[in-house]
Amino acid sequence: MADNAGMQQGSPAIGAAGLVPAAPGAGGTEGSGAAGGSARIAVKKAQLRSSPRPKKLEKLGVYSSCKAEGACKCNGWKSQNPPPTPPRTDQQSSAVNLQEPCRSCSHTLGDHVTHLENISEEEMNRLLGIVLDVEYLYTCVHKEEDADTKQVYFSLFKLLRKSIVQMGKPMLEAQDSPPFEKPSIEQGVNNFVQYKFSHLPSKERQTIMELAKMFLNQINYWQLETPSQRRQRVLNDDAAGYKANYTRWLCYCNVPQFCDSLPRYETTQIFGRTLLRSVFTVMRKQLLEQARQEKDKLPPEKRTLILTHFPKFLSMLEEEVYSHSSPIWSQDFLAGASGGQIPIRPGNALADRPSELTSDSGEKRKPTEPLPHEDSKRPRVVGDIPLELINEVMATITDPAAIPETSLLSAHSARDEAARLEERRGVIEFHVIGNSLNQKPNKRILMWLVGLQNVFSHQLPRMPKEYITRLVFDPKHKTLSLIKDGRVIGGICFRMFPSQGFTEIVFCAVTSNEQVKGYGTHLMNHLKEYHIKHEILNFLTYADEYAIGYFKKQGFSKDIKVPKAKYVGYIKDYEGATLMGCELNPSIPYTEFSVIIKKQKEIIKKLIERKQAQIRKVYPGLSCFKEGVRQIPIESIPGIRKKELKDPDQLYSTLKTILQHVKSHQNAWPFMEPVKKTEAPGYYQVIRFPMDLKTMSERLKSRYYTTRKLFMADMQRIFTNCREYNPPESEYYKCANLLEKFFYTKIKEAGLIEK
């Protein structure tokens, strides 16, 4: 975009195609100077990191206190021939002499850098990067005229200076950490798109999403005005609140664009409605004005988008930003239509995948042969739904116009639905990677493996880091890695034992700020697909007390299907952990399983609706009374079902007999009385509507059961509650199944339901 090199910051003419941020101290303008400053810093770091080791030690010695014996208080080596202030990295100098004395304390340079002699080259380069950031902030402090901004620069300067002395990582010390407000600006704009435009056709909605993406990118590179400038422009304003947000923005968003030793965040992801309100009016005015000025430079396809649609989009968004009752800023916001998340920074597909990456990554498993059509072979029985009706309902389910895709914010969406949609859009990627001793190391693979080691170390603090590193880099182990924006955010480390027919899952984790998004479920589903392709159908893992719940949701249980002789001596045993296993079904497409279940639910729902429409048939009124008839049997009224209208005494007698038979059954003992809290402490937290045979007897005695349906519903609740609370292998679960079968036999014998 060479045409736009001289434009001010936040220009809409650049659109979503990568803005050039303004450097700290640049006075709120943007252009080639800012970009050049950033490039110069990168060049200086590259030059310094390629210097000889003595030269690096000399550079770090300037920021290292004297380590000589005695009480030397020198806080940094000073050359006899002092360089400019701040020192210039591109200055040519003679060979470094570690015996050269310090101008301040007279001790040698070697005395100042003794603690650096044995550190790795990587760690030294990291410290040198901080050194250059310190020198850059030193320049910013001296050039900056605004007092508030200068104070922030000086605080960051001291923080980085301290990190060099202590050889640690810079950690901003603040009362609160990002995000500072929820929902974020990004989420609010996403909610706005769904709230206002979810009804539009797909093509028009895509245009709106492009406008939203453009707007969010503008905010991420917008230069905030200083608190003093804002006070002059806006008199009645929350000055303290704006100053706090301005300070956070400098520390977490603006300065880290150039000082990459500091953690960097996107403005739209850590700030919310408060910051957006403070900048929206000015930002909207400048964006539209600059768009009009630069309209002749815009490509034709962008011109209509920016000059026609963008002003309308901003006007509608402005109403929601300043409205006190707008629903888009509620954390409980739900949208029924499919707007989809706005991919602000979509991940790029890898054009040159390394050889260590398996060809399976990102592909869906395909069946080797079509499944046989069983409908023609299976004998039809009474009660089967006609094939014509099923085909008709299926047509409505698969028609995109007939059933919109569930929103990510829907309460009924599957756990992995958001992750699956992000993968479809290219926001996240899955790759099976591993270290190799036979092939030339690939930089991208090694970077990802290091990222995985960091994720596992942070999320599994009780596991020794050396042990994690050894297994992640062990060629016998592989890791299914989850990549987002080019960085690792999660993974599952595993070792396959093809000869034994199982795989051991060693580590499984997703970084904390990316959890509760369905990534863990989608990771496990991809791992299942990968193993079905490789014909390994059993997982084994040792789960600690915090992971048991996750693995249960993924289909694992304590009932191990693999014979003990197959895995003893092969897998690692962990003290205090529980061995769990999962048997895979090759007929199930796991990554699409929730979609299939959702379609099945929709089919059943449609069939129920059609059945209800038939049941709700309106019959003509009774005309017999006009002819002088005074009384008719109730059973003769059209639409009245005879089975529900037995004589009350007869119904009571029948139900009493059935209940007595059930209570006398050998498998009824677990259900005779209400469950005691002392025997099952958490029972009433799981089971909201308990039921037992004693309660049913009391209800029957009080003539509560006026219809067979009430009686059958209570009895069925006993069996359902039992199966919900108890595992399938338990004695209670088996008793429930057997007693349920006996109960329905007695119901049929009594003629209360059709045989």
Side-chain angles (χ1 to χ4, degrees):
M1 303 293 293
D3 304 35
N4 302 323
M7 292 173 62
Q8 292 182 343
Q9 46 81 24
S11 168
I14 302 178
L19 301 172
V20 182
T29 60
E30 167 201 338
S32 58
S38 178
R40 282 194 298 272
I41 296 171
V43 170
K44 286 180 181 180
K45 288 185 178 182
Q47 290 175 347
L48 187 57
R49 287 166 177 162
S50 62
S51 302
R53 191 175 180 89
K55 184 68 178 177
K56 296 180 180 180
L57 290 173
E58 180 188 37
K59 188 71 176 177
L60 290 170
V62 176
Y63 298 89
S64 302
S65 57
C66 184
K67 307 295 186 301
E69 295 181 0
C72 183
K73 296 183 179 179
C74 178
N75 63 354
W77 181 77
K78 301 171 184 65
S79 174
Q80 298 287 346
N81 302 310
T85 304
R88 291 181 54 189
T89 58
D90 55 352
Q91 183 186 16
Q92 299 297 324
S93 61
S94 57
V96 176
N97 181 10
L98 294 179
Q99 300 304 316
E100 183 179 351
C102 173
R103 179 161 47 88
S104 177
C105 68
S106 300
H107 291 116
T108 65
L109 170 61
D111 290 330
H112 288 74
V113 296
T114 53
H115 64 298
L116 299 172
E117 291 177 355
N118 296 322
I119 68 170
S120 65
E121 200 71 11
E122 181 181 357
E123 176 64 11
M124 184 171 288
N125 287 337
R126 186 185 71 83
L127 293 173
L128 288 170
I130 301 178
V131 165
L132 286 181
D133 288 344
V134 166
E135 294 177 358
Y136 181 73
L137 283 172
Y138 180 89
T139 304
C140 291
V141 169
H142 284 272
K143 287 185 177 181
E144 183 58 48
E145 297 178 357
D146 179 75
D148 296 320
T149 309
K150 184 190 286 282
Q151 184 180 0
V152 175
Y153 289 163
F154 186 66
S155 299
L156 294 175
F157 170 86
K158 290 193 297 182
L159 172 68
L160 294 181
R161 181 77 172 78
K162 182 180 178 182
S163 299
I164 300 172
V165 174
Q166 298 179 349
M167 298 176 64
K169 292 185 177 181
M171 297 295 292
L172 293 169
E173 299 176 359
Q175 292 181 347
D176 47 4
S177 57
F180 302 111
E181 188 176 1
K182 291 184 178 180
S184 65
I185 296 174
E186 180 177 319
Q187 186 61 55
V189 173
N190 177 63
N191 292 346
F192 166 73
V193 170
Q194 296 196 52
Y195 178 53
K196 291 289 187 180
F197 307 103
S198 60
H199 63 284
L200 295 178
S202 177
K203 187 175 181 180
E204 295 180 24
R205 191 166 62 247
Q206 189 61 38
T207 301
I208 298 298
M209 292 180 70
E210 187 177 347
L211 291 171
K213 178 181 175 183
M214 183 192 308
F215 175 76
L216 291 171
N217 275 289
Q218 301 290 352
I219 297 177
N220 283 331
Y221 293 111
W222 193 262
Q223 266 315 97
L224 297 188
E225 57 186 345
T226 64
S228 58
Q229 291 172 334
R230 183 171 178 80
R231 282 194 297 270
Q232 295 175 6
R233 187 177 62 83
V234 184
L235 299 178
N236 299 323
D237 189 34
D238 180 13
Y242 181 81
K243 183 178 179 180
N245 275 338
Y246 178 77
T247 302
R248 293 164 175 166
W249 172 77
L250 280 176
C251 293
Y252 291 97
C253 304
N254 184 252
V255 174
Q257 292 180 24
F258 301 88
C259 300
D260 58 9
S261 53
L262 292 168
R264 179 174 179 261
Y265 297 85
E266 297 287 2
T267 305
T268 55
Q269 293 183 341
I270 64 173
F271 293 97
R273 186 183 193 179
T274 304
L275 182 72
L276 184 59
R277 278 182 166 183
S278 63
V279 302
F280 190 93
T281 304
V282 175
M283 182 179 175
R284 176 177 178 268
K285 182 179 178 181
Q286 290 187 23
L287 286 175
L288 297 179
E289 183 177 343
Q290 291 170 9
R292 286 191 292 268
Q293 292 175 356
E294 302 291 332
K295 62 181 180 180
D296 295 330
K297 298 180 181 179
L298 295 174
E301 63 275 9
K302 286 275 186 181
R303 192 173 301 163
T304 303
L305 184 70
I306 292 175
L307 297 180
T308 304
H309 301 303
F310 199 52
K312 295 178 182 177
F313 177 86
L314 292 177
S315 297
M316 295 178 69
L317 180 58
E318 186 176 27
E319 292 179 9
E320 302 301 321
V321 169
Y322 293 101
S323 170
H324 295 289
S325 58
S326 174
I328 70 170
W329 301 104
S330 169
Q331 293 193 49
D332 299 322
F333 176 85
L334 294 174
S338 59
Q341 299 287 344
I342 302 167
I344 305 306
R345 298 179 314 283
N348 295 324
L350 300 178
D352 52 340
R353 280 189 183 156
S355 56
E356 289 93 339
L357 292 181
T358 70
S359 59
D360 304 309
S361 55
E363 295 180 5
K364 297 290 184 290
R365 173 167 54 94
K366 299 180 179 64
T368 53
E369 57 184 22
L371 294 174
H373 196 273
E374 298 180 356
D375 287 326
S376 57
K377 300 179 181 179
R378 185 170 59 87
R380 306 284 297 173
V381 296
V382 177
D384 274 359
I385 301 171
L387 287 176
E388 297 77 12
L389 178 58
I390 294 179
N391 292 333
E392 186 179 341
V393 171
M394 277 293 296
T396 64
I397 297 299
T398 55
D399 182 8
I403 175 170
E405 185 179 359
T406 304
S407 166
L408 295 182
L409 302 175
S410 170
H412 303 290
S413 60
R415 265 196 308 272
D416 62 336
E417 185 163 352
R420 187 171 56 252
L421 292 176
E422 285 190 9
E423 182 188 11
R424 197 175 300 162
R425 298 187 187 111
V427 178
I428 59 174
E429 297 174 348
F430 296 87
H431 299 284
V432 177
I433 62 174
N435 197 11
S436 174
L437 301 179
N438 302 323
Q439 300 178 4
K440 184 179 178 181
N442 181 280
K443 185 177 179 181
R444 185 185 288 115
I445 294 295
L446 293 177
M447 290 285 289
W448 285 351
L449 288 173
V450 170
L452 286 163
Q453 188 267 346
N454 288 332
V455 170
F456 292 145
S457 298
H458 281 93
Q459 299 303 126
L460 307 171
R462 294 192 293 182
M463 196 69 67
K465 290 186 178 180
E466 297 80 5
Y467 179 68
I468 292 174
T469 304
R470 179 158 59 87
L471 293 191
V472 169
F473 285 88
D474 176 20
K476 295 179 182 178
H477 288 73
K478 294 182 180 180
T479 306
L480 174 62
S481 56
L482 170 57
I483 312 298
K484 184 174 184 179
D485 299 330
R487 62 186 179 88
V488 175
I489 64 168
I492 300 177
C493 182
F494 60 93
R495 182 175 178 181
M496 303 169 74
F497 295 93
S499 61
Q500 305 304 110
F502 74 90
T503 281
E504 179 194 11
I505 294 177
V506 186
F507 307 123
C508 176
V510 174
T511 188
S512 54
N513 62 336
E514 296 287 356
Q515 291 180 5
V516 202
K517 297 181 179 179
Y519 291 153
T521 297
H522 208 43
L523 257 174
M524 187 61 72
N525 287 339
H526 268 284
L527 189 68
K528 292 175 180 178
E529 290 279 327
Y530 178 82
H531 279 78
I532 289 174
K533 287 180 183 178
H534 291 78
E535 299 180 351
I536 297 178
L537 302 180
N538 283 284
F539 287 158
L540 291 178
T541 187
Y542 273 97
D544 62 21
E545 55 184 324
Y546 303 107
I548 289 176
Y550 163 78
F551 282 109
K552 278 187 175 180
K553 291 177 183 177
Q554 310 309 320
F556 285 70
S557 74
K558 299 174 187 176
D559 182 16
I560 309 300
K561 302 295 184 183
V562 181
K564 195 169 184 179
K566 287 278 189 180
Y567 63 82
V568 170
Y570 285 88
I571 65 174
K572 295 166 276 295
D573 194 357
Y574 297 93
E575 185 178 350
T578 303
L579 181 63
M580 301 185 74
C582 178
E583 187 175 18
L584 306 183
N585 187 333
S587 300
I588 297 176
Y590 285 96
T591 53
E592 300 295 328
F593 185 63
S594 60
V595 177
I596 295 171
I597 295 298
K598 177 184 168 185
K599 286 185 177 180
Q600 289 178 346
K601 287 181 178 179
E602 290 294 337
I603 292 171
I604 294 171
K605 181 181 175 183
K606 293 283 185 183
L607 291 171
I608 290 173
E609 289 174 355
R610 288 171 181 253
K611 190 68 175 176
Q612 286 176 336
Q614 295 174 5
I615 294 173
R616 292 172 186 155
K617 181 179 178 181
V618 178
Y619 291 88
L622 298 175
S623 58
C624 58
F625 298 109
K626 293 180 180 180
E627 301 171 358
V629 177
R630 302 280 299 179
Q631 184 179 353
I632 62 171
I634 295 178
E635 295 85 351
S636 65
I637 301 174
I640 296 295
R641 302 181 67 177
K642 296 180 182 180
K643 286 185 171 58
E644 295 292 355
L645 294 166
K646 287 183 177 290
D647 178 77
D649 293 330
Q650 184 183 350
L651 179 64
Y652 172 81
S653 176
T654 304
L655 297 183
K656 184 178 180 181
T657 303
I658 294 172
L659 185 58
Q660 200 59 46
H661 281 302
V662 171
K663 291 169 70 175
S664 303
H665 195 272
Q666 60 181 356
N667 291 304
W669 60 270
F671 316 111
M672 296 300 292
E673 293 186 349
V675 176
K676 297 178 181 177
K677 291 184 179 180
T678 54
E679 297 176 355
Y683 183 82
Y684 291 97
Q685 278 73 44
V686 178
I687 304 303
R688 295 179 59 195
F689 304 104
M691 184 52 59
D692 60 277
L693 295 175
K694 181 180 178 181
T695 303
M696 288 191 67
S697 297
E698 293 171 352
R699 287 188 169 188
L700 181 64
K701 189 175 180 180
S702 64
R703 301 295 180 118
Y704 168 80
Y705 298 118
T706 56
T707 68
R708 65 181 176 89
K709 286 187 177 180
L710 288 173
F711 180 79
M712 292 174 65
D714 275 356
M715 187 67 74
Q716 186 62 51
R717 188 175 296 282
I718 293 176
F719 308 136
T720 304
N721 289 347
C722 177
R723 285 192 286 259
E724 184 175 351
Y725 184 76
N726 298 289
E729 63 272 14
S730 68
E731 188 68 24
Y732 301 108
Y733 197 103
K734 295 173 183 175
C735 285
N737 288 343
L738 293 171
L739 190 61
E740 180 184 33
K741 187 176 180 180
F742 173 77
F743 167 69
Y744 279 102
T745 300
K746 290 298 177 183
I747 284 285
K748 290 176 182 177
E749 288 177 359
L752 294 182
I753 60 173
E754 294 178 359
K755 296 184 180 181

